[in-house]
């Protein structure tokens, strides 16, 4: 498991009864997490007067934020030299998945050690954690997401990280349609990153279902890789999907054409007060021997 333990501005302090108590910069949030099935007491009682906001799930789906103290509409946290804008969103999110820092570190190391110009394609790119990391390492990036709001948020993160002078294209598009157009145009990429949802809709309401569409997308992506690709990364939060499935797909697509190594596994975050690790998702990664 890849575990993040160097994120100074973020930490999970405690976890119990389906909830995690986190510090985001100077603010403390209590959010639900279905992986936390153990009981270490009621965190609301345990951290009374030390919680800024709680996200409550609704029995009818979704939920709402209860702000116990005054919070700004957005605030910033840093990961090394990267700066991210944090906001309270619906469905408990904040616009950043800190566990992905393990993958950001890999992207940065791989790009910096390549000693050549690297062009990255980031699909289902959300608010751009990976895009910002790759830019900071010197790569050019094409950032694609179906949500205008998420693409605009990525622009905020790039600007906050003082990377606005770097080469990045922001695109609101359906990823499969975009990759098909890139194939026709003959455009190539040295690295591809994707974080596909279990289910979603494209920019024009195109339906995405991971079990049905992931294979097609990856086979299409083979045709936009350069002659000497650096890496290909798939991240997933889909419940029940094994990282070995991602490794298998990479083995019979990317590794069939290019010589490299494949790695897969879980990503997680340390829980400070319990000396535990919270699993947060999976990854499958192909990388060159470069």
């Amino acid at each position: 498991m890849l575990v993040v333990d160097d994120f100074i501005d973020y930490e999970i302090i405690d976890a119990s009864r389906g909830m995690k108590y986190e510090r985001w910069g100077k603010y403390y949030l209590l959010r639900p997490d279905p992986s936390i099935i153990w009981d270490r007491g009621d965190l609301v009682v345990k951290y009374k007067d030390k919680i800024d906001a709680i996200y409550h799930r609704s029995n009818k789906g979704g939920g709402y934020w209860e702000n116990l103290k005054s919070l700004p509409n957005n605030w910033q946290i840093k990961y090394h030299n990267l700066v991210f804008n944090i906001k309270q969103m619906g469905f408990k999110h904040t616009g950043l998945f800190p566990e992905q820092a393990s993958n950001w570190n890999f992207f940065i190391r791989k790009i910096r050690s390549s000693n050549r110009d690297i062009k990255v394609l980031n699909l289902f790119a959300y608010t751009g954690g990976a895009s910002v990391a790759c830019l900071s390492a010197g790569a050019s990036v094409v950032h694609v997401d179906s949500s205008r709001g998420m693409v605009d948020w990525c622009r905020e993160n790039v600007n906050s990280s003082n990377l606005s002078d770097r080469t990045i294209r922001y695109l609101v598009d359906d990823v499969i349609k975009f990759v098909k157009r890139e194939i026709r145009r003959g455009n190539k990429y040295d690295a591809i990153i994707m974080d596909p949802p279990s289910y979603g809709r494209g920019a024009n309401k195109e339906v995405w279902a991971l079990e049905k569409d992931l294979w097609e997308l990856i086979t299409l992506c083979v045709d936009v890789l350069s002659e000497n690709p650096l890496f290909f990364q798939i991240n997933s939060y889909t419940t029940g999907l094994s990282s070995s499935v991602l490794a298998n797909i990479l083995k019979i697509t990317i590794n069939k054409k290019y010589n490299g190594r494949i790695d897969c596994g879980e990503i997680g975050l340390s829980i400070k007060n319990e000396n535990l690790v919270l699993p947060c998702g999976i990854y499958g990664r192909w990388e060159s021997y470069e």
Side-chain angles (χ1 to χ4, degrees):
M1 179 184 286
L2 302 179
V3 179
V4 178
D5 57 8
D6 62 344
F7 209 134
I8 304 302
D9 274 0
Y10 171 85
E11 61 183 342
I12 300 178
I13 298 170
D14 209 344
S16 177
R17 298 183 185 178
M19 301 292 285
K20 55 186 175 183
Y21 178 55
E22 311 162 291
R23 178 179 62 83
W24 294 81
K26 63 179 181 179
Y27 299 106
Y28 293 81
L29 308 181
L30 192 61
R31 296 191 298 158
D33 190 302
S35 297
I36 303 169
I37 62 173
W38 55 87
D39 188 345
R40 301 295 288 167
D42 187 333
L43 299 184
V44 175
V45 174
K46 194 172 182 179
Y47 297 99
K48 184 181 179 181
D49 300 326
K50 295 180 180 179
I51 303 171
D52 293 294
I54 304 173
Y55 186 87
H56 299 279
R57 284 200 181 279
S58 169
N59 293 330
K60 299 179 180 179
Y64 65 95
W65 284 100
E66 177 189 8
N67 286 356
L68 304 179
K69 299 179 183 179
S70 178
L71 274 81
N73 291 331
N74 66 278
W75 66 95
Q76 294 182 338
I77 66 172
K78 291 183 178 180
Y79 180 70
H80 299 300
N81 61 324
L82 311 181
V83 181
F84 300 106
N85 294 276
I86 305 302
K87 307 172 188 179
Q88 291 173 282
M89 302 170 60
F91 300 101
K92 77 176 183 178
H93 295 306
T94 62
L96 192 68
F97 294 96
E99 62 272 15
Q100 289 295 331
S102 292
N103 290 322
W104 304 338
N105 289 336
F106 167 79
F107 304 151
I108 291 169
R109 288 195 307 270
K110 198 73 177 175
I111 291 167
R112 285 180 176 168
S113 65
S114 66
N115 296 316
R116 57 188 172 98
D117 293 335
I118 298 297
K119 187 177 181 181
V120 176
L121 174 60
N122 190 8
L123 302 173
F124 305 101
Y126 196 52
T127 61
S131 295
V132 172
C134 292
L135 280 179
S136 74
S140 62
V141 176
V142 174
H143 177 103
V144 185
D145 196 276
S146 64
S147 167
R148 168 67 65 183
M150 297 301 102
V151 173
D152 289 343
W153 199 332
C154 174
R155 193 188 304 269
E156 292 177 22
N157 289 333
V158 169
N159 292 338
S160 296
S161 297
N162 295 316
L163 297 170
S164 56
D165 60 334
R166 306 294 176 92
T167 302
I168 180 169
R169 291 178 63 205
Y170 303 97
L171 298 170
V172 179
D173 208 340
D174 173 76
V175 296
I176 289 182
K177 288 183 176 179
F178 173 78
V179 172
K180 286 180 177 179
R181 288 198 301 273
E182 291 294 86
I183 293 172
R184 294 195 295 270
R185 294 165 180 151
N187 289 334
K188 301 291 183 179
Y189 298 88
D190 304 295
I192 296 178
I193 303 163
M194 63 175 69
D195 194 348
S198 302
Y199 179 88
R201 291 190 178 274
N204 294 307
K205 307 303 180 184
E206 302 91 344
V207 176
W208 163 272
L210 184 140
E211 292 181 357
K212 178 176 67 72
D213 297 319
L214 182 62
W215 171 259
E216 178 189 7
L217 176 59
I218 294 173
T219 56
L220 288 169
C221 284
V222 174
D223 291 331
V224 296
L225 282 172
S226 65
E227 293 182 0
N228 186 23
L230 193 63
F231 62 83
F232 193 114
Q233 171 111 6
I234 312 167
N235 301 309
S236 180
Y237 292 90
T238 298
T239 302
L241 182 65
S242 168
S243 63
S244 295
V245 172
L246 302 183
N248 288 342
I249 294 173
L250 292 172
K251 186 177 295 183
I252 57 180
T253 55
I254 312 303
N255 211 55
K256 186 176 180 180
K257 184 175 180 180
Y258 303 97
N259 187 29
R261 55 179 170 263
I262 292 174
D263 181 28
C264 69
E266 291 184 282
I267 55 175
L269 290 164
S270 298
I271 302 173
K272 180 180 178 181
N273 285 4
E274 294 288 349
N275 193 29
L276 302 174
V277 174
L278 179 67
C280 300
I282 60 173
Y283 72 95
R285 175 190 299 159
W286 175 94
E287 63 172 303
S288 69
Y289 288 117
E290 180 180 335

